[in-house]
Structures are given as structure tokens and as C-alpha cells.
PDB file of all heavy atoms in Angstrom:
ATOM      1  N   TYR A   1     103.504  86.518 105.798  1.00 90.00           N
ATOM      2  CA  TYR A   1     102.107  86.247 105.420  1.00 90.00           C
ATOM      3  C   TYR A   1     101.527  85.095 106.201  1.00 90.00           C
ATOM      4  O   TYR A   1     100.330  85.081 106.502  1.00 90.00           O
ATOM      5  CB  TYR A   1     101.979  86.049 103.909  1.00 90.00           C
ATOM      6  CG  TYR A   1     102.009  87.365 103.144  1.00 90.00           C
ATOM      7  CD1 TYR A   1     103.222  87.885 102.745  1.00 90.00           C
ATOM      8  CD2 TYR A   1     100.860  88.031 102.856  1.00 90.00           C
ATOM      9  CE1 TYR A   1     103.268  89.089 102.095  1.00 90.00           C
ATOM     10  CE2 TYR A   1     100.873  89.224 102.177  1.00 90.00           C
ATOM     11  CZ  TYR A   1     102.081  89.753 101.777  1.00 90.00           C
ATOM     12  OH  TYR A   1     102.128  90.974 101.128  1.00 90.00           O
ATOM     13  N   ILE A   2     102.336  84.109 106.496  1.00 88.00           N
ATOM     14  CA  ILE A   2     101.859  82.991 107.341  1.00 88.00           C
ATOM     15  C   ILE A   2     101.478  83.492 108.712  1.00 88.00           C
ATOM     16  O   ILE A   2     100.362  83.211 109.221  1.00 88.00           O
ATOM     17  CB  ILE A   2     102.957  81.910 107.467  1.00 88.00           C
ATOM     18  CG1 ILE A   2     103.198  81.203 106.115  1.00 88.00           C
ATOM     19  CG2 ILE A   2     102.566  80.889 108.492  1.00 88.00           C
ATOM     20  CD1 ILE A   2     104.340  80.272 106.101  1.00 88.00           C
ATOM     21  N   PHE A   3     102.332  84.288 109.307  1.00 89.00           N
ATOM     22  CA  PHE A   3     102.058  84.850 110.667  1.00 89.00           C
ATOM     23  C   PHE A   3     100.872  85.779 110.613  1.00 89.00           C
ATOM     24  O   PHE A   3      99.998  85.779 111.502  1.00 89.00           O
ATOM     25  CB  PHE A   3     103.279  85.562 111.174  1.00 89.00           C
ATOM     26  CG  PHE A   3     103.174  85.951 112.606  1.00 89.00           C
ATOM     27  CD1 PHE A   3     103.136  84.994 113.628  1.00 89.00           C
ATOM     28  CD2 PHE A   3     103.164  87.281 112.962  1.00 89.00           C
ATOM     29  CE1 PHE A   3     103.047  85.413 114.962  1.00 89.00           C
ATOM     30  CE2 PHE A   3     103.060  87.680 114.315  1.00 89.00           C
ATOM     31  CZ  PHE A   3     103.027  86.726 115.331  1.00 89.00           C
ATOM     32  N   TRP A   4     100.748  86.586 109.571  1.00 92.00           N
ATOM     33  CA  TRP A   4      99.660  87.518 109.403  1.00 92.00           C
ATOM     34  C   TRP A   4      98.330  86.794 109.326  1.00 92.00           C
ATOM     35  O   TRP A   4      97.345  87.167 109.957  1.00 92.00           O
ATOM     36  CB  TRP A   4      99.876  88.368 108.162  1.00 92.00           C
ATOM     37  CG  TRP A   4      98.882  89.496 107.966  1.00 92.00           C
ATOM     38  CD1 TRP A   4      98.017  90.026 108.853  1.00 92.00           C
ATOM     39  CD2 TRP A   4      98.649  90.176 106.712  1.00 92.00           C
ATOM     40  NE1 TRP A   4      97.294  91.024 108.298  1.00 92.00           N
ATOM     41  CE2 TRP A   4      97.648  91.126 106.972  1.00 92.00           C
ATOM     42  CE3 TRP A   4      99.188  90.108 105.412  1.00 92.00           C
ATOM     43  CZ2 TRP A   4      97.166  92.032 106.021  1.00 92.00           C
ATOM     44  CZ3 TRP A   4      98.707  91.000 104.458  1.00 92.00           C
ATOM     45  CH2 TRP A   4      97.723  91.909 104.747  1.00 92.00           C
ATOM     46  N   SER A   5      98.290  85.689 108.533  1.00 92.00           N
ATOM     47  CA  SER A   5      97.056  84.911 108.369  1.00 92.00           C
ATOM     48  C   SER A   5      96.598  84.291 109.703  1.00 92.00           C
ATOM     49  O   SER A   5      95.407  84.300 110.041  1.00 92.00           O
ATOM     50  CB  SER A   5      97.214  83.813 107.323  1.00 92.00           C
ATOM     51  OG  SER A   5      97.533  84.402 106.065  1.00 92.00           O
ATOM     52  N   ILE A   6      97.573  83.778 110.437  1.00 89.00           N
ATOM     53  CA  ILE A   6      97.239  83.128 111.725  1.00 89.00           C
ATOM     54  C   ILE A   6      96.668  84.153 112.700  1.00 89.00           C
ATOM     55  O   ILE A   6      95.650  83.949 113.386  1.00 89.00           O
ATOM     56  CB  ILE A   6      98.468  82.444 112.312  1.00 89.00           C
ATOM     57  CG1 ILE A   6      98.896  81.223 111.439  1.00 89.00           C
ATOM     58  CG2 ILE A   6      98.194  81.959 113.742  1.00 89.00           C
ATOM     59  CD1 ILE A   6     100.166  80.590 111.821  1.00 89.00           C
ATOM     60  N   VAL A   7      97.341  85.301 112.790  1.00 90.00           N
ATOM     61  CA  VAL A   7      96.921  86.344 113.753  1.00 90.00           C
ATOM     62  C   VAL A   7      95.528  86.876 113.420  1.00 90.00           C
ATOM     63  O   VAL A   7      94.646  87.008 114.309  1.00 90.00           O
ATOM     64  CB  VAL A   7      97.956  87.503 113.766  1.00 90.00           C
ATOM     65  CG1 VAL A   7      97.378  88.678 114.552  1.00 90.00           C
ATOM     66  CG2 VAL A   7      99.270  87.028 114.389  1.00 90.00           C
ATOM     67  N   GLU A   8      95.293  87.146 112.140  1.00 92.00           N
ATOM     68  CA  GLU A   8      93.991  87.650 111.726  1.00 92.00           C
ATOM     69  C   GLU A   8      92.882  86.598 111.948  1.00 92.00           C
ATOM     70  O   GLU A   8      91.761  86.904 112.273  1.00 92.00           O
ATOM     71  CB  GLU A   8      93.984  88.124 110.273  1.00 92.00           C
ATOM     72  CG  GLU A   8      94.924  89.307 110.009  1.00 92.00           C
ATOM     73  CD  GLU A   8      94.555  90.528 110.799  1.00 92.00           C
ATOM     74  OE1 GLU A   8      93.417  90.610 111.331  1.00 92.00           O
ATOM     75  OE2 GLU A   8      95.386  91.441 110.876  1.00 92.00           O
ATOM     76  N   GLY A   9      93.257  85.321 111.728  1.00 90.00           N
ATOM     77  CA  GLY A   9      92.296  84.246 111.972  1.00 90.00           C
ATOM     78  C   GLY A   9      91.886  84.179 113.404  1.00 90.00           C
ATOM     79  O   GLY A   9      90.714  84.012 113.769  1.00 90.00           O
ATOM     80  N   LEU A  10      92.868  84.306 114.331  1.00 88.00           N
ATOM     81  CA  LEU A  10      92.561  84.277 115.756  1.00 88.00           C
ATOM     82  C   LEU A  10      91.724  85.494 116.128  1.00 88.00           C
ATOM     83  O   LEU A  10      90.814  85.401 116.999  1.00 88.00           O
ATOM     84  CB  LEU A  10      93.870  84.299 116.576  1.00 88.00           C
ATOM     85  CG  LEU A  10      94.768  83.054 116.422  1.00 88.00           C
ATOM     86  CD1 LEU A  10      96.043  83.245 117.168  1.00 88.00           C
ATOM     87  CD2 LEU A  10      94.043  81.800 116.872  1.00 88.00           C
ATOM     88  N   CYS A  11      92.020  86.626 115.504  1.00 91.00           N
ATOM     89  CA  CYS A  11      91.249  87.852 115.816  1.00 91.00           C
ATOM     90  C   CYS A  11      89.806  87.723 115.351  1.00 91.00           C
ATOM     91  O   CYS A  11      88.869  88.095 116.090  1.00 91.00           O
ATOM     92  CB  CYS A  11      91.952  89.030 115.108  1.00 91.00           C
ATOM     93  SG  CYS A  11      91.421  90.644 115.680  1.00 91.00           S
ATOM     94  N   VAL A  12      89.596  87.192 114.159  1.00 91.00           N
ATOM     95  CA  VAL A  12      88.244  86.983 113.644  1.00 91.00           C
ATOM     96  C   VAL A  12      87.508  85.916 114.484  1.00 91.00           C
ATOM     97  O   VAL A  12      86.358  86.116 114.843  1.00 91.00           O
ATOM     98  CB  VAL A  12      88.280  86.551 112.173  1.00 91.00           C
ATOM     99  CG1 VAL A  12      86.888  86.157 111.679  1.00 91.00           C
ATOM    100  CG2 VAL A  12      88.795  87.717 111.281  1.00 91.00           C
ATOM    101  N   GLY A  13      88.208  84.844 114.849  1.00 87.00           N
ATOM    102  CA  GLY A  13      87.600  83.810 115.654  1.00 87.00           C
ATOM    103  C   GLY A  13      87.185  84.287 117.045  1.00 87.00           C
ATOM    104  O   GLY A  13      86.213  83.821 117.629  1.00 87.00           O
ATOM    105  N   ALA A  14      87.944  85.259 117.545  1.00 85.00           N
ATOM    106  CA  ALA A  14      87.587  85.855 118.831  1.00 85.00           C
ATOM    107  C   ALA A  14      86.494  86.929 118.684  1.00 85.00           C
ATOM    108  O   ALA A  14      86.086  87.536 119.696  1.00 85.00           O
ATOM    109  CB  ALA A  14      88.830  86.522 119.472  1.00 85.00           C
ATOM    110  N   GLN A  15      86.058  87.135 117.480  1.00 88.00           N
ATOM    111  CA  GLN A  15      84.949  88.092 117.139  1.00 88.00           C
ATOM    112  C   GLN A  15      85.280  89.512 117.456  1.00 88.00           C
ATOM    113  O   GLN A  15      84.427  90.307 117.788  1.00 88.00           O
ATOM    114  CB  GLN A  15      83.667  87.643 117.854  1.00 88.00           C
ATOM    115  CG  GLN A  15      83.254  86.213 117.521  1.00 88.00           C
ATOM    116  CD  GLN A  15      82.089  85.735 118.342  1.00 88.00           C
ATOM    117  OE1 GLN A  15      81.119  86.433 118.523  1.00 88.00           O
ATOM    118  NE2 GLN A  15      82.236  84.485 118.861  1.00 88.00           N
ATOM    119  N   ILE A  16      86.570  89.846 117.325  1.00 89.00           N
ATOM    120  CA  ILE A  16      87.017  91.212 117.482  1.00 89.00           C
ATOM    121  C   ILE A  16      87.123  91.802 116.071  1.00 89.00           C
ATOM    122  O   ILE A  16      88.214  91.938 115.528  1.00 89.00           O
ATOM    123  CB  ILE A  16      88.359  91.320 118.250  1.00 89.00           C
ATOM    124  CG1 ILE A  16      88.333  90.451 119.512  1.00 89.00           C
ATOM    125  CG2 ILE A  16      88.696  92.764 118.609  1.00 89.00           C
ATOM    126  CD1 ILE A  16      89.641  90.376 120.240  1.00 89.00           C
ATOM    127  N   TYR A  17      86.000  92.028 115.443  1.00 91.00           N
ATOM    128  CA  TYR A  17      85.950  92.368 114.011  1.00 91.00           C
ATOM    129  C   TYR A  17      86.612  93.712 113.718  1.00 91.00           C
ATOM    130  O   TYR A  17      87.246  93.868 112.681  1.00 91.00           O
ATOM    131  CB  TYR A  17      84.504  92.362 113.565  1.00 91.00           C
ATOM    132  CG  TYR A  17      83.803  91.059 113.811  1.00 91.00           C
ATOM    133  CD1 TYR A  17      82.650  91.006 114.552  1.00 91.00           C
ATOM    134  CD2 TYR A  17      84.300  89.852 113.292  1.00 91.00           C
ATOM    135  CE1 TYR A  17      81.969  89.803 114.768  1.00 91.00           C
ATOM    136  CE2 TYR A  17      83.634  88.675 113.531  1.00 91.00           C
ATOM    137  CZ  TYR A  17      82.490  88.628 114.259  1.00 91.00           C
ATOM    138  OH  TYR A  17      81.844  87.451 114.512  1.00 91.00           O
ATOM    139  N   LYS A  18      86.391  94.691 114.584  1.00 92.00           N
ATOM    140  CA  LYS A  18      86.940  96.021 114.324  1.00 92.00           C
ATOM    141  C   LYS A  18      88.463  95.967 114.250  1.00 92.00           C
ATOM    142  O   LYS A  18      89.096  96.528 113.332  1.00 92.00           O
ATOM    143  CB  LYS A  18      86.503  97.003 115.404  1.00 92.00           C
ATOM    144  CG  LYS A  18      86.958  98.446 115.153  1.00 92.00           C
ATOM    145  CD  LYS A  18      86.523  99.353 116.302  1.00 92.00           C
ATOM    146  CE  LYS A  18      85.034  99.511 116.341  1.00 92.00           C
ATOM    147  NZ  LYS A  18      84.613 100.484 117.420  1.00 92.00           N
ATOM    148  N   LEU A  19      89.090  95.265 115.221  1.00 92.00           N
ATOM    149  CA  LEU A  19      90.523  95.115 115.199  1.00 92.00           C
ATOM    150  C   LEU A  19      91.000  94.332 113.983  1.00 92.00           C
ATOM    151  O   LEU A  19      92.032  94.688 113.357  1.00 92.00           O
ATOM    152  CB  LEU A  19      90.976  94.416 116.499  1.00 92.00           C
ATOM    153  CG  LEU A  19      92.484  94.090 116.602  1.00 92.00           C
ATOM    154  CD1 LEU A  19      93.304  95.357 116.550  1.00 92.00           C
ATOM    155  CD2 LEU A  19      92.746  93.292 117.880  1.00 92.00           C
ATOM    156  N   ALA A  20      90.263  93.304 113.629  1.00 92.00           N
ATOM    157  CA  ALA A  20      90.657  92.474 112.454  1.00 92.00           C
ATOM    158  C   ALA A  20      90.634  93.273 111.164  1.00 92.00           C
ATOM    159  O   ALA A  20      91.571  93.217 110.378  1.00 92.00           O
ATOM    160  CB  ALA A  20      89.735  91.248 112.360  1.00 92.00           C
ATOM    161  N   VAL A  21      89.547  94.049 110.946  1.00 93.00           N
ATOM    162  CA  VAL A  21      89.446  94.822 109.710  1.00 93.00           C
ATOM    163  C   VAL A  21      90.449  95.930 109.644  1.00 93.00           C
ATOM    164  O   VAL A  21      91.148  96.120 108.639  1.00 93.00           O
ATOM    165  CB  VAL A  21      87.993  95.371 109.594  1.00 93.00           C
ATOM    166  CG1 VAL A  21      87.893  96.303 108.394  1.00 93.00           C
ATOM    167  CG2 VAL A  21      87.009  94.236 109.451  1.00 93.00           C
ATOM    168  N   ILE A  22      90.580  96.718 110.738  1.00 94.00           N
ATOM    169  CA  ILE A  22      91.504  97.866 110.730  1.00 94.00           C
ATOM    170  C   ILE A  22      92.957  97.389 110.556  1.00 94.00           C
ATOM    171  O   ILE A  22      93.694  97.937 109.773  1.00 94.00           O
ATOM    172  CB  ILE A  22      91.334  98.712 111.994  1.00 94.00           C
ATOM    173  CG1 ILE A  22      89.953  99.346 111.997  1.00 94.00           C
ATOM    174  CG2 ILE A  22      92.393  99.768 112.078  1.00 94.00           C
ATOM    175  CD1 ILE A  22      89.626 100.104 113.268  1.00 94.00           C
ATOM    176  N   SER A  23      93.325  96.356 111.338  1.00 94.00           N
ATOM    177  CA  SER A  23      94.701  95.871 111.263  1.00 94.00           C
ATOM    178  C   SER A  23      95.018  95.291 109.900  1.00 94.00           C
ATOM    179  O   SER A  23      96.106  95.463 109.373  1.00 94.00           O
ATOM    180  CB  SER A  23      94.940  94.818 112.362  1.00 94.00           C
ATOM    181  OG  SER A  23      94.098  93.692 112.160  1.00 94.00           O
ATOM    182  N   THR A  24      94.040  94.606 109.276  1.00 94.00           N
ATOM    183  CA  THR A  24      94.258  94.007 107.956  1.00 94.00           C
ATOM    184  C   THR A  24      94.512  95.122 106.938  1.00 94.00           C
ATOM    185  O   THR A  24      95.420  95.035 106.115  1.00 94.00           O
ATOM    186  CB  THR A  24      93.063  93.158 107.527  1.00 94.00           C
ATOM    187  OG1 THR A  24      92.892  92.113 108.487  1.00 94.00           O
ATOM    188  CG2 THR A  24      93.268  92.579 106.152  1.00 94.00           C
ATOM    189  N   VAL A  25      93.696  96.163 106.958  1.00 95.00           N
ATOM    190  CA  VAL A  25      93.845  97.259 105.992  1.00 95.00           C
ATOM    191  C   VAL A  25      95.161  97.955 106.165  1.00 95.00           C
ATOM    192  O   VAL A  25      95.891  98.234 105.219  1.00 95.00           O
ATOM    193  CB  VAL A  25      92.661  98.239 106.104  1.00 95.00           C
ATOM    194  CG1 VAL A  25      92.910  99.495 105.251  1.00 95.00           C
ATOM    195  CG2 VAL A  25      91.351  97.575 105.717  1.00 95.00           C
ATOM    196  N   VAL A  26      95.532  98.281 107.434  1.00 95.00           N
ATOM    197  CA  VAL A  26      96.765  99.000 107.702  1.00 95.00           C
ATOM    198  C   VAL A  26      97.970  98.209 107.287  1.00 95.00           C
ATOM    199  O   VAL A  26      98.898  98.674 106.624  1.00 95.00           O
ATOM    200  CB  VAL A  26      96.857  99.367 109.190  1.00 95.00           C
ATOM    201  CG1 VAL A  26      98.246  99.946 109.519  1.00 95.00           C
ATOM    202  CG2 VAL A  26      95.773 100.375 109.571  1.00 95.00           C
ATOM    203  N   ILE A  27      98.022  96.914 107.654  1.00 94.00           N
ATOM    204  CA  ILE A  27      99.150  96.057 107.287  1.00 94.00           C
ATOM    205  C   ILE A  27      99.238  95.899 105.799  1.00 94.00           C
ATOM    206  O   ILE A  27     100.346  95.877 105.208  1.00 94.00           O
ATOM    207  CB  ILE A  27      99.017  94.668 107.968  1.00 94.00           C
ATOM    208  CG1 ILE A  27      99.166  94.829 109.492  1.00 94.00           C
ATOM    209  CG2 ILE A  27     100.085  93.690 107.469  1.00 94.00           C
ATOM    210  CD1 ILE A  27      98.882  93.580 110.291  1.00 94.00           C
ATOM    211  N   ALA A  28      98.126  95.745 105.088  1.00 94.00           N
ATOM    212  CA  ALA A  28      98.118  95.606 103.641  1.00 94.00           C
ATOM    213  C   ALA A  28      98.688  96.839 102.973  1.00 94.00           C
ATOM    214  O   ALA A  28      99.513  96.761 102.066  1.00 94.00           O
ATOM    215  CB  ALA A  28      96.684  95.382 103.122  1.00 94.00           C
ATOM    216  N   VAL A  29      98.300  98.031 103.493  1.00 94.00           N
ATOM    217  CA  VAL A  29      98.855  99.318 102.897  1.00 94.00           C
ATOM    218  C   VAL A  29     100.334  99.392 103.135  1.00 94.00           C
ATOM    219  O   VAL A  29     101.099  99.776 102.262  1.00 94.00           O
ATOM    220  CB  VAL A  29      98.117 100.489 103.544  1.00 94.00           C
ATOM    221  CG1 VAL A  29      98.822 101.824 103.169  1.00 94.00           C
ATOM    222  CG2 VAL A  29      96.664 100.533 103.122  1.00 94.00           C
ATOM    223  N   VAL A  30     100.793  99.004 104.341  1.00 94.00           N
ATOM    224  CA  VAL A  30     102.235  99.055 104.624  1.00 94.00           C
ATOM    225  C   VAL A  30     103.015  98.125 103.726  1.00 94.00           C
ATOM    226  O   VAL A  30     104.083  98.460 103.219  1.00 94.00           O
ATOM    227  CB  VAL A  30     102.461  98.706 106.127  1.00 94.00           C
ATOM    228  CG1 VAL A  30     103.969  98.526 106.410  1.00 94.00           C
ATOM    229  CG2 VAL A  30     101.905  99.811 107.026  1.00 94.00           C
ATOM    230  N   LEU A  31     102.507  96.908 103.519  1.00 92.00           N
ATOM    231  CA  LEU A  31     103.210  95.916 102.701  1.00 92.00           C
ATOM    232  C   LEU A  31     103.269  96.335 101.231  1.00 92.00           C
ATOM    233  O   LEU A  31     104.282  96.172 100.574  1.00 92.00           O
ATOM    234  CB  LEU A  31     102.557  94.546 102.824  1.00 92.00           C
ATOM    235  CG  LEU A  31     102.762  93.830 104.187  1.00 92.00           C
ATOM    236  CD1 LEU A  31     101.911  92.578 104.254  1.00 92.00           C
ATOM    237  CD2 LEU A  31     104.213  93.481 104.368  1.00 92.00           C
TER     238      LEU A  31
END
């Protein structure tokens, strides 16, 4: 979860919103 938070934060900060939202949903479902 630490690594997940950092990666998604970098993704959102880079303004790649589509990747951030899709990856968050997929990873959450898997977990």
C-alpha cells in the first residue's frame, strides 16, 4: 500500500488521470 500510494500520487501529479483511475480500480479489485 505504501508503494501503491506513491505510484498513484506520481501518476496523478503527472496529470495522467486515465492511467491513475483505471490502475487504481484494477489494483483495488485484485487486492
Side-chain angles (χ1 to χ4, degrees):
Y1 282 87
I2 292 173
F3 190 66
W4 186 18
S5 298
I6 294 174
V7 170
E8 296 299 345
L10 296 176
C11 195
V12 172
Q15 302 172 47
I16 312 175
Y17 304 122
K18 185 183 292 185
L19 176 60
V21 172
I22 294 175
S23 62
T24 300
V25 172
V26 172
I27 294 173
V29 171
V30 171
L31 288 173

